[in-house]
Amino acid sequence: MAGAGAALYKIGGVFDDVSDTIRVGTGASGKSLADMEQIAKNIGTTVPSSFEDIGASVADVNTRLGLTGDPLQKVTAQFLELGNMGIDADINEVSAALSGFGIKGAEIEGSMDKLFQVSQATGLSVTELSTSVVKAGPALRNFGFGLGESAALVGQLDKSGMDADKTLASMSRAMQAFAKEGKDGKQALFGT
């Protein structure tokens, strides 16, 4: 019984640490904090990660993407699962890519799946894909590309042996030149 009591005390200490991590990382209190603590516990039953990592991930995803409730739980689990598979998916880079393409709320989960699929198909990490689409985001959006299409383009350029960042920078310069001439860049390049 003494051993069981010590184990329960240790588990309680871990949950206190998780709560502190979430509170410090998000500034949440009251019901909002309790909801995120429950999300961390829920994730802990399905994703093999330490509660310390889960708490930090819940806080980061909430802070960077503004997610709460079920979307927060699903997207946090996605980030943790990517990490468990050895796939680099930095929340700061990924959130910048998502925000740059205006992806919010419930759309994030599907976009994360697309980034993962492109990562698997091309060998680039989710972080590398995100970093490249952030750099070229304005040009890609002017061409009418969404996040998934942009990531696929970056992946295919890299897979073809081309420097995706330099190629996309050239596209950006071409867009600027077309704009100065009063032409629609997408139409000039693609004939659409």
Side-chain angles (χ1 to χ4, degrees), residues 152-176:
L153 177 61
V154 167
Q156 287 305 315
L157 289 170
D158 183 78
K159 199 172 177 179
S160 299
M162 298 174 72
D163 184 323
D165 289 337
K166 286 183 182 177
T167 303
L168 293 173
S170 296
M171 285 175 59
S172 181
R173 286 190 296 277
M175 285 296 288
Q176 291 171 358

Side-chain angles (χ1 to χ4, degrees), residues 11 47 72 79 113 141 171 177:
I11 291 171
V47 179
L72 174 60
F79 274 101
D113 287 341
R141 288 189 300 276
M171 285 175 59

Side-chain angles (χ1 to χ4, degrees), residues 119-134:
S119 173
Q120 291 299 290
T122 64
L124 291 174
S125 73
V126 171
T127 299
E128 291 169 324
L129 291 168
S130 298
T131 300
S132 289
V133 299
V134 166

Side-chain angles (χ1 to χ4, degrees), residues 4 18 41 65 72 118 138 150 161 166 169 180:
V18 168
K41 290 176 185 176
L65 298 172
L72 174 60
V118 173
S150 298
K166 286 183 182 177
K180 284 181 184 176

Side-chain angles (χ1 to χ4, degrees), residues 105-117:
E107 298 173 335
I108 292 173
E109 184 181 357
S111 294
M112 290 288 296
D113 287 341
K114 287 179 186 175
L115 288 171
F116 172 68
Q117 290 166 353

Side-chain angles (χ1 to χ4, degrees), residues 21-96:
T21 298
I22 294 171
R23 182 176 32 254
V24 169
T26 65
S29 61
K31 180 173 175 6
S32 178
L33 177 61
D35 289 347
M36 284 191 262
E37 290 170 343
Q38 186 58 51
I39 286 169
K41 290 176 185 176
N42 294 346
I43 292 170
T45 65
T46 60
V47 179
S49 291
S50 71
F51 276 107
E52 291 85 0
D53 289 345
I54 293 169
S57 294
V58 166
D60 289 345
V61 171
N62 170 263
T63 301
R64 293 291 298 182
L65 298 172
L67 297 177
T68 59
D70 194 45
L72 174 60
Q73 183 169 322
K74 288 179 179 178
V75 173
T76 301
Q78 285 178 308
F79 274 101
L80 290 164
E81 288 168 348
L82 288 170
N84 288 342
M85 290 186 283
I87 297 170
D88 180 26
D90 180 76
I91 180 66
N92 296 321
E93 294 296 327
V94 174
S95 67

